[in-house]
Amino acid sequence: MPKHISALSASRRKFLKRAGLMIAMPAIVGRASVTTARAAFEGESLIAVSWSGNYEQVFRETIIDPFNAKYNTKAETVGGWDQIVSQIKAAPEDNPPFDVTVAEEYISSTGLAENLYVKTDRSKIPNLEAVYPWFYETRPDKAKDYGIPFGGGTCMLLLRKSLGIAPDTWGLLWDDRLAGKVTADSGAWWWTLSVPAVMNQASPGLDEMYDMSTAEPLFQQLDKLKVAKWFKDGAEQANLLNQGEADVAMSYSSDAYTFMNQSPGEYLASVPKEGVSAWADWYFKVRGTRHNDLADLFMNYLLDKETQDRFLAKSLIFMARKDVTVPEHWVGYPKSNEDYHRMFQIITMDGWDKINANYQAFDDRMKQTVAKTSG
């Protein structure tokens, strides 16, 4: 897959690690109780793709393992990112490499354009009633009938706690007190470009970053950064921060949680007052799956309150349900649909189409920014 759709952090830059063969099972309908479902699905296989790295590990521990224990199934997860669509396309239509897959806006749009996903039967997913409307309000009409929202991730401001500075504004990346101690992503540059777009708020959402003419002032703002060094993946970001070369970073929710876990008390992570750019994690049933009914059961399980609570307890993502139990480490978690709109700005499917139509110009301009700001 082209580098411009590479992962948001080191863990998400990996290819699919493996893909299993599907096991044909007879379809059984009319599951009611857990006991009935357990008997109906006992021993049945299901493969679900989740994001590679730490997300995959948490997904296995908090979702796959409890699901198998509850229904006596043989569900498993494989980690993926940039080969999800190509692997489905390469497989026979009636024998896909997996049954359910995660997708953010780009992979959602690409897969839908190739007719790789199955429409969602909402009658099979009663837990959708507990989901924040924001997930559908930020979705184009062409996509609303497909998949189910699970949660989402964000850019985050990460700051060394010992500095005694509150991480409450993106403006700190340009603060003289932190000059030469800043790091940001030059690989997945669209997220870096989204920071001045979030701060600017001259257009709805992130619209100004989708066209080169309106994105130029955003690049000019990035040209003013005084960076220690740019990072291209999560490992480089970790080295810069942990070795003291950088004290503040434009980071990601997945990375920020790792830093906070591995170095307790060392860093502060926040959603600044201007809000953050974000992506939504949706799970889709893949065309041709031989485990259609089990996939529905699994997708509804993804939205169980207990499932969402378990995953949230080990992450800094935001969840789809309105009634999750917020862990102590997630300071400032949104409490309403209005909070979701205020705090999170999605790079939309239409936005991706516009960026990709002129990708090389964006990429070349970002290279200029990196050259100007690198000592």
Side-chain angles (χ1 to χ4, degrees):
M1 184 170 222
K3 182 179 177 296
H4 67 276
I5 349 172
S6 61
L8 311 179
S9 63
S11 64
R12 296 179 70 188
R13 294 176 191 271
K14 301 175 183 176
F15 290 160
L16 281 177
K17 293 190 282 189
R18 57 194 172 94
L21 296 175
M22 309 306 300
I23 301 174
M25 296 289 287
I28 304 173
V29 296
R31 285 93 175 179
S33 66
V34 172
T35 302
T36 303
R38 184 180 176 90
F41 293 114
E42 183 172 3
E44 186 171 347
S45 299
L46 182 89
I47 297 176
V49 179
S50 56
W51 300 127
S52 295
N54 291 337
Y55 184 110
E56 178 190 355
Q57 180 179 341
V58 174
F59 193 86
R60 181 176 293 109
E61 293 174 356
T62 64
I63 297 174
I64 295 293
D65 291 346
F67 181 80
N68 285 333
K70 185 172 184 176
Y71 294 108
N72 203 23
T73 50
K74 295 181 179 179
E76 57 181 304
T77 188
V78 295
W81 175 250
D82 51 4
Q83 287 187 346
I84 292 173
V85 168
S86 61
Q87 286 209 353
I88 300 173
K89 288 178 62 179
E93 290 190 14
D94 62 348
N95 191 22
F98 30 81
D99 307 285
V100 174
T101 185
V102 68
E104 40 60 84
E105 283 65 36
Y106 183 86
I107 295 176
S108 293
S109 182
T110 306
L112 286 168
E114 298 286 349
N115 296 314
L116 301 183
Y117 308 137
V118 179
K119 279 190 175 183
T120 299
D121 182 348
R122 293 182 66 94
S123 69
K124 303 287 183 63
I125 319 290
N127 279 327
L128 281 172
E129 297 300 321
V131 166
Y132 275 115
W134 175 87
F135 286 90
Y136 288 92
E137 292 165 355
T138 55
R139 208 76 166 163
D141 289 342
K142 66 181 181 181
K144 290 180 179 179
D145 291 336
Y146 296 84
I148 59 108
F150 174 71
T154 71
C155 293
M156 276 193 163
L157 183 64
L158 191 69
L159 182 68
R160 198 174 304 280
K161 186 176 181 179
S162 61
L163 297 175
I165 302 173
D168 56 1
T169 175
W170 284 114
L172 288 173
L173 296 178
W174 288 267
D175 194 302
D176 288 341
R177 292 173 294 175
L178 295 165
K181 286 290 189 176
V182 175
T183 188
D185 195 344
S186 64
W189 51 257
W190 44 93
W191 296 113
T192 301
L193 185 62
S194 74
V195 172
V198 167
M199 295 173 66
N200 187 23
Q201 299 180 343
S203 302
L206 302 174
D207 284 1
E208 60 263 47
M209 69 175 281
Y210 302 149
D211 183 271
M212 276 301 299
S213 62
T214 52
E216 177 56 28
L218 307 180
F219 280 113
Q220 291 176 10
Q221 183 67 18
L222 294 180
D223 290 343
K224 299 175 185 178
L225 286 172
K226 297 179 180 179
V227 302
K229 194 177 292 183
W230 293 86
F231 66 84
K232 291 184 179 179
D233 57 40
E236 288 186 359
Q237 179 190 186
N239 287 337
L240 288 167
L241 289 163
N242 292 335
Q243 293 175 12
E245 289 188 63
D247 287 329
V248 61
M250 185 233 72
S251 191
Y252 304 103
S253 49
S254 54
D255 294 334
Y257 182 74
T258 300
F259 282 118
M260 293 170 68
N261 259 0
Q262 294 181 351
S263 303
E266 180 70 16
Y267 301 102
L268 297 171
S270 76
V271 172
K273 62 185 179 183
E274 301 92 346
V276 291
S277 52
W279 60 93
D281 294 334
W282 287 64
Y283 279 82
F284 293 89
K285 185 160 55 174
V286 178
R287 71 165 187 205
T289 174
R290 300 181 181 181
H291 305 285
N292 189 66
D293 293 322
L294 182 57
D296 285 333
L297 182 73
F298 181 76
M299 289 167 70
N300 191 59
Y301 183 82
L302 288 175
L303 293 175
D304 276 355
K305 175 172 165 47
E306 293 77 10
T307 304
Q308 298 250 307
D309 285 347
R310 283 196 303 269
F311 197 95
L312 184 58
K314 294 189 175 184
S315 73
L316 268 174
I317 78 167
F318 54 88
M319 308 306 297
R321 282 190 71 105
K322 294 178 282 189
D323 58 353
V324 293
T325 301
V326 180
E328 186 177 346
H329 67 255
W330 217 127
V331 178
Y333 188 88
K335 299 178 181 179
S336 67
N337 201 59
E338 292 71 26
D339 282 349
Y340 272 64
H341 278 286
R342 176 178 56 82
M343 294 170 62
F344 307 135
Q345 300 298 326
I346 293 285
I347 297 183
T348 63
M349 291 185 187
D350 291 340
W352 273 116
D353 290 342
K354 293 174 182 177
I355 290 173
N356 285 326
N358 203 19
Y359 175 79
Q360 195 58 55
F362 279 96
D363 193 57
D364 290 344
R365 182 61 180 86
M366 186 63 190
K367 286 184 173 67
Q368 294 178 27
T369 291
V370 172
K372 289 177 181 179
T373 55
S374 297

